[in-house]
Amino acid sequence: MRKQINLGTPQVSLDDIYQDALIVLYEKILDNSFTLSCSIQTYVNSVCRNMLLKKLRDNPKHTEIKGDFDPNISDDLGEENIKDRKFEALKWAFEELSRGGGKCAEMLKLFWYKKNSIKQLTDFFSYENDETTKVQKSKCQKRLKKIATNYILQVT
C-alpha cells in the first residue's frame, strides 16, 4: 500500500481499500471451499492492488485545459532530427574507422551487414578462439561509439 501513496492516491482512499480487502479476506475465510495458497499479507496486498487498479480504471482523472490554445505550437520534439544526427554520426564514424585502416571496420561490416557469426569472424581473421574475436569486436564497437560521440560533440 505504501507504493500506492507515490501514485498520488489519497490516504483516505487507501484506508478504505485496505478495510475492504480485509472484509474480502474475512468473507473468503468463511467460505469452506477457499484455500489460501500464499501468506495472508500477500493475499491482502493483491486484493488491495486489484481494488485500487479497478478504482483508478473506473475513475480516470480528466484535466481540463483552460485559456487560449495556439494551434501553431508544435509538439514535435525533433526525434527524427535526433535519429538523423545519430545516423549521420555513425556513418561518419564508420567512414573514419575505414580510413584508419585495421580490421575494425571490416569486422563490424561483416558482423552487422553480412551477418557473419563469431565463429566465421574467428576463421576469417585467423584469431586464436571465439573469445578473442568477441573481445576484439567489443573494442571495435567502443572505438566506433567514441568516434561517433566526438563527432556529435563537434557538430553541436
Side-chain angles (χ1 to χ4, degrees), residues 28-153:
K28 289 289 185 179
I29 290 173
L30 294 178
D31 183 10
N32 290 334
S33 63
F34 176 70
T35 305
L36 189 62
S37 59
C38 60
S39 71
I40 292 175
Q41 186 64 48
T42 302
Y43 182 79
V44 170
N45 285 345
S46 295
V47 172
C48 288
R49 181 178 167 272
N50 288 328
M51 288 178 149
L52 181 61
L53 290 174
K54 182 181 183 320
K55 187 172 188 168
L56 292 174
R57 236 186 344 263
D58 293 344
N59 299 320
K61 293 180 179 179
H62 295 285
T63 304
E64 184 177 325
I65 300 174
K66 295 182 180 179
D68 295 333
F69 174 72
D70 186 356
N72 297 322
I73 297 175
S74 172
D75 64 351
D76 180 21
L77 300 176
E79 289 179 24
E80 289 301 318
N81 189 22
I82 292 171
K83 287 180 184 176
D84 290 344
R85 284 193 335 216
K86 285 182 179 179
F87 178 76
E88 185 65 33
L90 279 175
K91 183 179 168 186
W92 186 84
F94 198 80
E95 289 170 1
E96 282 293 307
L97 209 56
S98 297
R99 280 191 288 268
K103 298 178 181 180
C104 276
E106 190 174 5
M107 177 181 279
L108 294 176
K109 185 169 74 170
L110 288 172
F111 185 76
W112 288 336
Y113 299 117
K114 303 290 184 182
K115 305 291 185 197
N116 286 8
S117 68
I118 294 293
K119 178 68 177 147
Q120 290 170 321
L121 293 176
T122 302
D123 294 341
F124 183 83
F125 290 106
S126 302
Y127 287 127
E128 191 173 317
N129 56 41
D130 290 350
E131 288 303 313
T132 304
T133 306
K134 288 178 188 177
V135 169
Q136 185 60 40
K137 184 181 77 69
S138 176
K139 287 179 181 180
C140 290
Q141 286 176 306
K142 288 176 184 174
R143 189 168 162 206
L144 181 72
K145 182 178 179 180
K146 183 179 178 181
I147 294 170
T149 302
N150 288 338
Y151 175 81
I152 289 175
L153 293 175

